[in-house]
Amino acid sequence: MAKNAVITGWGCYTPSRVLTNADLERIVDTSDEWITSRTGIKERRIAGDGETTSTMSVRAARAALEKAHMRGQDIQQVIVGTASPDYLFPATACLVQSEIGATRAGAFDVEAACTSFISALAIARAMIVAGMIENALVIGAETLSRLLNWKDRTTCVLFGDGAGAAVLEATNASVGIESTVLHGDGSKGELLMVPAGGSKIPATADTVERGLHFITMAGGEVFKLAVKSMADAAEEAIAEAGLTLDDIDIMIPHQANLRIIEGVGKRLHFPPEKVFVNIQRYGNTSAASIPIAMCEAESTGRLRRGDKVLLVAFGGGFTWGASVLEWFGAHDGLRPPSRLERASRVLEDVVERVRPS
Ligand code: ACO
């Protein structure tokens, strides 16, 4: 069994349509000054016609597979973290699995709102370390623009669309994910939710009329709990990895609100220059925010081989969690199995299955 799981591929996709704060001033009673000072957001991306959580996931997944020198058929498990799936079912992961040709892979979704990516990462890592699979494609993706009430200025200015993906592979080297912690508190669920469209309040003309299929949120309550919970989870994950805060080279937090991110940094006494922030360009993309930020941190040289990385998130549910990992980057030191080796493994599996017992 492998000792650990390491990220060997990563990719992200954001729609080309940009919605600025100035654009929002024409839609609801708000201002660039209010949005910027309360949230740090200047613009966000909005899915275009025909773009959905699965199509954006596929774009991100293809980029991640390319980085990992893998094809769809090499992948053994697809997990999509999302609160805005294409359908209630089938799972968005199944749509992605089919589109990328991951014919050998299992597929399921994880729903823990903004904590979905870290949750999916934890599951994939556990499956790899348990010896169930050798690799997984883990995606965080959202099309929250379709769940927003564009007449509600308290929510519609906050969110954006996009997707990020990571390929995880088994390794015996001491790199990769060193710890993950996950928490939840369902008693606070009603503070941030989409009330209708599920089995409790099925969609009807009346629920649509009353806007119950949109996101509702008690922003102030969410804010207070987010800062404390993210800071606590960060400390717990760092301790579980046997490290201290000083060992962390970069924090990639869920991009919910600049003031939440700053609040977490202050609470931890963590140097602001080591915190990666891109909320100004994307808003809150929920499950997609960490993998998109991870991609940008890498492409801008902020994330380098050997860096100790802290991922930390909080979201609806409530859910929160954190993960510490050592960034390895693309394969060139740790050689991936060749296509021939992968093919021979498939053959071995087939022989094993048909061998008389
Ligand atoms: N433009 C202008 N005015 C606004 C807007 C807007 N877009 N939205 C609200 N206001 C008004 C309110 O109506 C209120 O007016 P009133 O005093 O006349 O009633 C006033 O601004 C102040 O509102 P507050 O809610 O007190 O503003 P606050 O400083 O708390 O900021 C915010 C609101 C940004 C939503 C904040 O509470 C927040 O960020 N909460 C966290 C929410 C979040 O990030 N959720 C995402 C999901 S969970 C996660 O990802 C962590």
Side-chain angles (χ1 to χ4, degrees), residues 26-84:
R26 290 188 283 275
I27 299 173
V28 285
D29 180 16
T30 191
S31 67
D32 174 45
E33 193 283 320
W34 193 97
I35 301 171
T36 307
S37 64
R38 297 298 211 291
T39 72
I41 301 166
K42 298 300 281 184
E43 59 187 43
R44 68 287 290 143
R45 302 299 179 98
I46 303 294
D49 292 343
E51 281 188 318
T52 68
T53 299
S54 73
T55 68
M56 293 188 290
S57 295
V58 166
R59 298 285 290 259
R62 289 205 168 113
L65 287 171
E66 192 177 324
K67 271 262 167 20
H69 307 292
M70 289 171 90
R71 296 161 304 163
Q73 58 263 50
D74 298 323
I75 291 295
Q76 295 180 359
Q77 183 66 54
V78 180
I79 310 179
V80 174
T82 184
S84 47

Side-chain angles (χ1 to χ4, degrees), residues 29-30 34 38-39 114 153-154 157 159 192 217 219-220 222-223 254 256-257 259-260 284 314:
D29 180 16
T30 191
W34 193 97
R38 297 298 211 291
T39 72
C114 307
R153 66 178 182 173
T154 68
V157 303
F159 297 95
L192 177 53
M217 181 179 71
V222 175
F223 191 102
H254 166 49
N257 179 315
R259 289 188 301 154
I260 292 178
N284 181 347
F314 180 90

Side-chain angles (χ1 to χ4, degrees), residues 6 23 81 241 300 303:
V6 60
D23 296 329
T300 53
L303 186 53

Side-chain angles (χ1 to χ4, degrees), residues 134 335-348:
E134 287 181 6
R335 191 185 63 82
S338 65
R339 290 211 171 142
L340 195 63
E341 283 168 312
R342 287 186 206 287
S344 74
R345 277 189 215 161
V346 177
L347 264 176
E348 277 165 25

